[in-house]
Amino acid sequence: MAAAACVPVRVCHQEIVRFDLEIKAAVQDIRDCPGPLSALAELNAAVKEKFRQLRGRIQELEQMAKEQDKESEKQALLREVENHKKQMLSNQAAWRKANLACKIAIDNSEKDQLLQGRDSLRQRKTTKESLAESASNITESLMGISRMMSQQVQQSEETVQTLANSSRTILEANEEFKSMSGTIQLGRKLITKYNRRELTDKLLIFLALALFLATVLYILKKRLFPFL
């Protein structure tokens, strides 16, 4: 009996999968529907029918599960039934979201078309007064640009004057640096000459001290060792 029941169970399962895929495709069609609302209503009617058929197949599969002789096969089929029910609920939620998104898109599209119609009407009602106002605005803009350019020229002149003053200051500083450089070089020469003089003085002092010591030693030698 269990082997004979496998065929309808398998077929039922395949039909459930087929309806699930068809519902997903239909939900995507609803999400992409450009309108009008009548087209959306036709798509929703088709989805409702798919859900009705899917629900019937799930109920059939649940009934087959309850009729299984083996407890393991019964529990396995019941788990599949629960999975299919959860998937159906998920599809229903996606269906509601797709409807909401589609209705918002259709409403926005209708609003855009209405606004475009109003804009077109306003453009056709453009008068000489609006043209004169536009010309006046353009003239004011040009005058503003002219004033701005005049200010820029004045600022440029002030910048050039500042640069000239800075150049004079730099030249004066350069002359002072040259003068200071000459003074530094003279000081360096004097220090070098002083160092040389100091070295010469030290050498002379050393020679005088050596001569003095030699003289003292010579005198001591003559006094203490006259026989030498």
Side-chain angles (χ1 to χ4, degrees):
M1 179 178 178
C6 289
V7 176
V9 168
R10 189 182 301 113
V11 172
C12 186
H13 179 71
Q14 291 175 353
E15 289 183 353
I16 290 174
V17 173
R18 178 172 61 85
F19 285 132
D20 179 73
L21 294 175
E22 290 177 355
I23 288 172
K24 284 183 170 60
V27 169
Q28 185 62 41
D29 291 339
I30 290 174
R31 187 176 288 108
D32 298 335
C33 178
L37 291 176
S38 58
L40 178 61
E42 292 179 0
L43 291 173
N44 279 320
V47 173
K48 287 180 182 178
E49 178 61 22
K50 296 294 182 183
F51 271 115
R52 187 189 66 78
Q53 295 175 346
L54 175 61
R55 194 176 294 107
R57 294 297 181 272
I58 292 174
Q59 290 175 352
E60 291 179 5
L61 183 61
E62 186 176 12
Q63 183 62 33
M64 292 178 186
K66 293 177 181 179
E67 295 175 354
Q68 295 297 315
D69 297 332
K70 293 183 179 180
E71 184 65 22
S72 59
E73 294 179 357
K74 177 181 178 180
Q75 293 300 324
L77 287 176
L78 288 175
R79 284 194 294 270
E80 288 186 13
V81 169
E82 289 300 320
N83 291 333
H84 290 314
K85 287 181 178 180
K86 290 179 181 179
Q87 186 61 45
M88 184 175 65
L89 292 176
S90 176
N91 288 335
Q92 288 175 342
W95 180 31
R96 287 192 293 269
K97 291 180 181 179
N99 267 284
L100 180 59
C102 182
K103 288 179 181 178
I104 292 174
I106 292 173
D107 290 341
N108 291 336
S109 177
E110 292 178 351
K111 289 178 181 179
D112 291 340
Q113 291 177 0
L114 183 60
L115 291 175
Q116 289 176 0
R118 290 179 180 177
D119 292 340
S120 177
L121 183 61
R122 288 197 191 99
Q123 291 176 358
R124 286 196 298 267
K125 290 182 178 180
T126 302
T127 60
K128 293 181 179 181
E129 293 179 359
S130 63
L131 294 175
E133 184 179 357
S134 299
S136 176
N137 292 334
I138 293 172
T139 302
E140 291 180 359
S141 299
L142 291 174
M143 291 177 66
I145 293 171
S146 177
R147 287 192 295 270
M148 184 176 65
M149 291 179 67
S150 177
Q151 293 175 356
Q152 291 292 333
V153 170
Q154 184 178 359
Q155 291 178 359
S156 299
E157 292 177 353
E158 294 175 355
T159 303
V160 170
Q161 185 64 31
T162 303
L163 290 174
N165 295 333
S166 299
S167 298
R168 284 195 295 271
T169 304
I170 292 172
L171 290 174
E172 293 174 357
N174 189 26
E175 292 297 328
E176 291 180 1
F177 287 150
K178 288 181 179 178
S179 177
M180 291 176 64
S181 177
T183 304
I184 292 171
Q185 289 179 358
L186 179 60
R188 186 182 294 113
K189 290 179 180 179
L190 291 175
I191 292 171
T192 303
K193 188 178 296 184
Y194 172 77
N195 289 333
R196 291 176 182 174
R197 182 64 178 270
E198 184 180 7
L199 180 62
T200 303
D201 292 343
K202 288 180 179 180
L203 182 60
L204 290 174
I205 291 170
F206 176 75
L207 291 175
L209 182 61
L211 180 61
F212 173 76
L213 291 175
T215 303
V216 170
L217 290 175
Y218 178 76
I219 292 170
L220 290 175
K221 178 184 176 184
K222 289 296 183 179
R223 292 290 180 92
L224 296 177
F225 307 101
F227 52 86
L228 292 175

